[in-house]
Amino acid sequence: MDVKDIIKPENRVYAKTPVLTSTTMHYCPGCSHGTVHKLIAEVIEEMGIQDKTIGVSPVGCAVFAYNYLDIDWQQAAHGRAPAVATATKRLHPEKYVFTYQGDGDLASIGTAEIMHACNRGENIVVIFINNAIYGMTGGQMAPTTLIGMKTATSPYGRTVELHGNPLRITELLAQLDGTCYVTRQSVNTAVAARKTKKAIRKAFENSALKKGTSFVEVVSTCNSGWKLSPVKANEWMVENMFVKYPIGDIKDR
Amino acid sequence: MAEKILMKGNEAIAHAAIRCGCDGYFGYPITPQSEVMETLMEEKPWETTGMVVLQAESETSSINMLYGGASCAKKVMTSSSSPGLSLMCEGLSYLAGAELPCLVVNVVRGGPGLGTIQPGQGDYFQACKGGGHGDYKMVVLAPSSAQEMYDFVDLAFELAFKYKTPAMILADGVVGQMMEKVEFRPMKPRWTNEEIIEKYPWATTGKTPDRKQNVITSLALDAAIHEKLNNTLQTKYKQMEAEDVRFESIKCDDAEHIIVAYGCMARICESTVEMARNAGIKLGLLRPITLFPFPSKEIDRLVPQLKTMMSVELSAGQMLEDVKLAVNGRIPVNFFGRLGGIVPSPEEVYEAFKKEIGK
């Protein structure tokens, strides 16, 4: 049997959503970004909202998200995506507006913007990739870097005395009256990825219902930054990251 | 003739925004311009024209809200004063780099630092020479009356969309706070989403099946592409210099001396010109209305008939540099300025002028 005999429409069990472009991703093998991109793309396709969705990309590894999701994008300054999304959503209330931000972007330089967008209860979706490191700039300490974790700017391991504490910003944002749905997920297994997709779908649906801000953190791997193989990075994440950043819904109203 | 209403320059800005079809205002309170947002909140334009008004958490956020709105080709604006503008410089650089139109009003106070809430013109360099990082310029309009505060809102949007660039109204505390008669212009409706899609196909309005995705970004890691993007910007700035220089000449035709002044200082120097003329001195006033593009060609044209020029500013001498560049060493260029929020009288300027020309 030839390969051409197998590749037939009736044998097809999976197809890439057209919302995901065919551009080769610049992400490292094993990185969680690609999986999360795919999940967002699938949600957009399944909800039929490609023409109604505007994404706001961050500064960081996901700065090029616009190369991979075939929707309109605004590339924001570092940390400012929630402010950019606020105006876009208020001027286009019928659109679905989401930000896609890493931990440096959202939990360090952009804390004021995310805090106030969430507190105002902007009807936007926030996808927060927490891999506890600055990937794009070469593996420096992030606000979410764990105690003891070695990075380019904490080469002997993060200490509270020298670097301060890792920030659980998701728990903080769940305290705000403006957030309606705050959840922490991961994409390290097929089951986890399916749960994350469900969370993203719910977040997008919430924004149409004008319930407030929906916030989906995805605890992610950065195996290049962590200097681990993709498989080892997943194991390390489960053993260490999930302790500080436990998976599950934090708020749902 | 339309009705004239007595109001502050800052209030005129707010009324002009509503009436010229502005889609959104995003701002943060700071003296001496808080009346802009206060007036908008009182007027509730979201109930009439549908204009969005939002108090942001900082100037950093308000300028980035403009980035979002401008990415949708909406007419968006903010207003602030000097320290707030410093915070906005990051955003302005991104807006210029991404070629986005918007309006920023700076009602300048004295600096540096927290400075004073009294008027100043010390933000000329920041406004005209970039302010943020990278090689960029903005259209900079300098109103000298409450009526111009009103009229320049519409003009600034027109120029901002013509060049896909941030435009700034560089006012000062005097022009913002003083009350004058203002004539309202006819209402212009806001653009519909359909009109925006038709006129500005680059806008992020949602990717429909009939077009490619629209991406608003200032990022280009390929050096050749990035240089091309920079050259596009520089070409625009040259076009602005060729097509959109604006200035007012008062008694310049037969002048032997000319004072160059903008904003509130131009109003004061008008009286100085009167004093000199009454004393038989042929003094004129050149008032740049666009600070960028600067009326260099007009100065160049006037130099052969002149003995001296003098730049008069509420700064330590910022516009002075542009006057000197245009004069190019052919005649003496003098300077008079006050700092700290002190606004000189016409007499004080006249005395300084006479001293410089040796009379």
Side-chain angles (χ1 to χ4, degrees):
Chain A
M1 201 195 298
D2 189 66
V3 91
K4 282 181 189 144
D5 300 321
I6 302 165
I7 302 175
K8 288 176 181 169
E10 61 266 32
N11 291 335
R12 192 168 77 178
V13 292
Y14 174 82
K16 175 182 79 65
T17 163
V19 178
L20 205 61
T21 67
S22 298
T23 310
T24 306
M25 288 186 180
H26 72 288
Y27 300 118
C28 307
C31 168
S32 306
H33 273 303
T35 312
V36 180
H37 281 18
K38 190 191 84 162
L39 299 179
I40 297 170
E42 287 178 355
V43 167
I44 290 171
E45 190 204 358
E46 285 163 21
M47 288 176 70
I49 56 171
Q50 188 177 14
D51 60 341
K52 293 185 195 71
T53 304
I54 298 168
V56 185
S57 72
V59 171
C61 286
V63 66
F64 289 121
Y66 51 74
N67 287 333
Y68 312 129
L69 264 71
D70 191 21
I71 54 169
D72 280 358
W73 281 96
Q74 304 164 353
Q75 198 279 304
H78 200 20
R80 318 298 179 217
V84 173
T86 292
T88 302
K89 179 65 180 176
R90 289 199 177 220
L91 290 160
H92 277 291
E94 77 289 0
K95 296 281 185 333
Y96 293 84
V97 181
F98 74 98
T99 71
Y100 188 104
Q101 303 174 261
D103 41 64
D105 194 87
L106 182 140
S108 187
I109 198 165
T111 42
E113 286 77 12
I114 191 62
M115 192 72 76
H116 285 276
C118 286
N119 196 47
R120 285 190 301 263
E122 301 295 341
N123 289 304
I124 59 171
V125 176
V126 178
I127 309 291
F128 170 42
I129 305 296
N130 176 11
N131 57 16
I133 206 156
Y134 284 77
M136 189 66 136
T137 42
Q140 294 82 6
M141 186 185 74
T144 51
T145 294
L146 300 176
I147 294 299
M149 209 173 146
K150 288 179 181 176
T151 72
T153 51
S154 59
Y156 307 107
R158 180 176 190 162
T159 65
V160 175
E161 294 73 26
L162 183 60
H163 307 280
N165 294 290
L167 177 58
R168 274 192 291 203
I169 195 157
T170 306
E171 277 79 355
L172 217 70
L173 296 172
Q175 301 296 313
L176 305 175
D177 292 339
T179 49
C180 64
Y181 177 49
V182 180
T183 187
R184 184 182 283 124
Q185 301 294 334
S186 70
V187 290
N188 57 316
T189 65
V191 174
R194 275 200 291 277
K195 284 184 182 165
T196 301
K197 183 174 168 179
K198 229 174 125 185
I200 294 170
R201 168 115 193 191
K202 183 173 182 160
F204 272 82
E205 285 169 350
N206 280 345
S207 74
L209 298 170
K210 298 188 171 65
K211 288 173 75 175
T213 311
S214 293
F215 189 95
V216 181
E217 172 180 341
V218 184
V219 182
S220 300
T221 53
C222 176
N223 42 287
S224 292
W226 296 355
K227 305 196 187 328
L228 294 169
S229 71
V231 173
K232 285 278 177 209
N234 269 340
E235 289 169 9
W236 189 89
M237 178 171 74
V238 173
E239 286 164 17
N240 298 279
M241 292 283 282
F242 287 3
V243 177
K244 182 75 183 171
Y245 306 111
I247 303 299
D249 288 351
I250 299 168
K251 180 181 191 178
D252 188 5
R253 68 160 167 82
Chain B
M1 201 169 135
E3 191 188 0
K4 287 187 176 178
I5 304 165
L6 187 70
M7 63 174 67
K8 285 186 177 189
N10 288 336
E11 293 165 346
I13 292 267
H15 289 290
I18 298 167
R19 297 182 67 87
C20 80
C22 178
D23 295 299
Y25 172 97
F26 305 88
Y28 186 81
I30 183 170
T31 308
Q33 63 76 52
S34 295
E35 294 87 356
V36 180
M37 186 162 43
E38 287 169 8
T39 305
L40 285 168
M41 287 295 187
E42 210 175 299
E43 290 291 317
K44 296 193 279 185
W46 52 92
E47 289 181 359
T48 51
T49 70
M51 177 185 175
V52 168
V53 186
L54 182 63
Q55 180 167 337
E57 62 270 28
S58 68
E59 289 90 347
T60 303
S61 282
S62 32
I63 196 72
N64 281 284
M65 288 172 182
L66 261 58
Y67 187 97
S71 296
C72 306
K74 296 280 186 181
K75 279 189 185 175
V76 285
M77 67 176 288
T78 186
S79 63
S80 187
S81 182
S82 309
L85 257 293
S86 292
L87 276 177
M88 288 185 191
C89 281
E90 174 201 49
L92 284 168
S93 173
Y94 276 76
L95 283 151
E99 295 193 85
L100 292 175
C102 65
L103 167 59
V104 177
V105 180
N106 183 2
V107 183
V108 181
R109 55 193 252 184
L114 200 51
T116 171
I117 56 170
Q118 303 298 324
Q121 294 183 323
D123 297 359
Y124 180 94
F125 283 152
Q126 187 191 56
C128 299
K129 310 294 174 185
H133 57 285
D135 285 291
Y136 77 91
K137 299 276 177 69
M138 291 177 282
V139 173
V140 181
L141 297 165
S144 69
S145 65
Q147 185 66 55
E148 281 190 341
M149 288 287 259
Y150 184 102
D151 290 339
F152 286 2
V153 172
D154 195 28
L155 175 63
F157 275 125
E158 187 192 314
L159 294 170
F161 277 87
K162 176 179 176 183
Y163 291 107
K164 286 174 73 186
T165 182
M168 179 180 282
I169 293 180
L170 190 73
D172 51 64
V174 177
V175 177
Q177 290 295 326
M178 70 183 179
M179 293 185 85
E180 289 188 305
K181 284 183 280 185
V182 175
E183 183 184 329
F184 282 11
R185 311 300 183 194
M187 282 288 280
K188 280 187 179 180
R190 289 171 55 231
W191 294 326
T192 65
N193 287 341
E194 291 69 33
E195 283 172 320
I196 287 171
I197 290 167
E198 172 83 27
K199 282 162 90 163
Y200 305 105
W202 49 264
T204 52
T205 49
K207 187 212 164 297
T208 42
D210 58 330
R211 69 157 167 88
K212 285 186 176 170
Q213 66 167 175
N214 285 339
V215 177
I216 303 295
T217 183
S218 57
L219 178 69
L221 292 183
D222 182 311
I225 293 172
H226 193 233
E227 187 177 52
K228 209 176 143 190
L229 189 136
N230 264 284
N231 287 338
T232 307
L233 298 183
Q234 294 306 317
T235 307
K236 277 199 307 201
Y237 305 146
K238 293 224 162 55
Q239 191 191 343
M240 289 176 198
E241 285 171 336
E243 296 175 17
D244 280 296
V245 174
R246 284 170 170 79
F247 57 86
E248 184 188 10
S249 299
I250 296 170
K251 297 191 165 65
C252 285
D253 289 349
D254 65 340
E256 292 175 354
H257 306 275
I258 282 182
I259 284 178
V260 188
Y262 68 95
C264 72
M265 281 319 300
R267 293 288 289 277
I268 289 162
C269 290
E270 268 187 60
S271 302
T272 306
V273 168
E274 284 304 317
M275 288 174 193
R277 289 278 167 175
N278 290 339
I281 302 169
K282 289 185 175 175
L283 177 63
L285 173 68
L286 181 71
R287 175 170 81 93
I289 291 171
T290 50
L291 298 178
F292 184 85
F294 192 70
S296 306
K297 277 188 184 157
E298 179 60 11
I299 291 178
D300 180 63
R301 190 185 71 78
L302 288 165
V303 164
Q305 76 186 52
L306 298 177
K307 289 178 181 160
T308 70
M309 284 195 114
M310 183 157 92
S311 186
V312 180
E313 307 169 45
L314 297 182
S315 79
Q318 300 195 9
M319 182 175 68
L320 172 66
E321 292 192 4
D322 282 331
V323 177
K324 280 185 172 175
L325 279 170
V327 169
N328 202 14
R330 287 170 289 175
I331 53 168
V333 179
N334 302 313
F335 174 71
F336 180 69
R338 292 300 304 261
L339 297 163
I342 295 171
V343 182
S345 66
E347 291 80 7
E348 195 180 344
V349 178
Y350 185 46
E351 289 308 316
F353 165 73
K354 281 201 295 186
K355 202 177 151 196
E356 292 290 359
I357 64 166
K359 290 208 174 177

